[in-house]
């Protein structure tokens, strides 16, 4: 079974999302930390539309917090969704 590749810039993020982040001006982990998950997700959503799902938002948060996206609590997911809608 092949292992999925993850980003060298954003640990835990796949190569497609990595390319998309760079395309919207989020060039590295420091830039993601400065911007935050919700703002980075807004940039992705604006540029790539329906191809970007809430899983991307949770994945970005997971990178920033050092956990698996499935470990993010429902309350935190709801807060992220609210922040991303602003």
């Amino acid at each position: 079974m092949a292992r999925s590749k993850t980003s060298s810039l954003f640990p835990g993020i796949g190569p497609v999302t990595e390319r998309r982040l760079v395309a919207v001006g989020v060039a590295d982990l420091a830039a993601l930390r400065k911007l935050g998950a919700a703002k980075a997700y807004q940039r992705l959503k604006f540029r790539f539309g329906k191809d970007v799902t809430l899983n991307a938002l949770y994945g970005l948060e997971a990178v920033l917090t050092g956990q698996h996206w499935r470990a993010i609590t429902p309350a935190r997911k709801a807060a992220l969704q609210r922040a991303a809608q602003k």
Side-chain angles (χ1 to χ4, degrees):
M1 180 178 271
R3 284 180 51 190
S4 63
K5 295 181 180 180
T6 62
S7 166
S8 59
L9 296 174
F10 309 100
I13 294 291
V16 172
T17 303
E18 176 186 305
R19 285 191 301 273
R20 288 177 176 173
L21 284 166
V22 171
V24 298
V26 184
D28 56 25
L29 190 53
L32 178 58
R33 282 192 182 111
K34 183 176 181 179
L35 195 59
K39 293 288 185 191
Y41 173 79
Q42 287 173 335
R43 287 186 182 189
L44 291 171
K45 195 72 173 166
F46 180 79
R47 174 87 180 266
F48 299 102
K50 291 187 283 186
D51 289 338
V52 178
T53 68
L54 286 173
N55 284 343
L57 175 61
Y58 307 147
L60 295 170
E61 177 72 2
V63 167
L64 294 174
T65 59
Q67 62 184 332
H68 193 279
W69 70 267
R70 290 183 181 164
I72 299 169
T73 66
R76 181 63 185 145
K77 286 180 180 179
L80 287 166
Q81 288 177 35
R82 285 191 303 275
Q85 291 176 349
K86 292 181 179 179

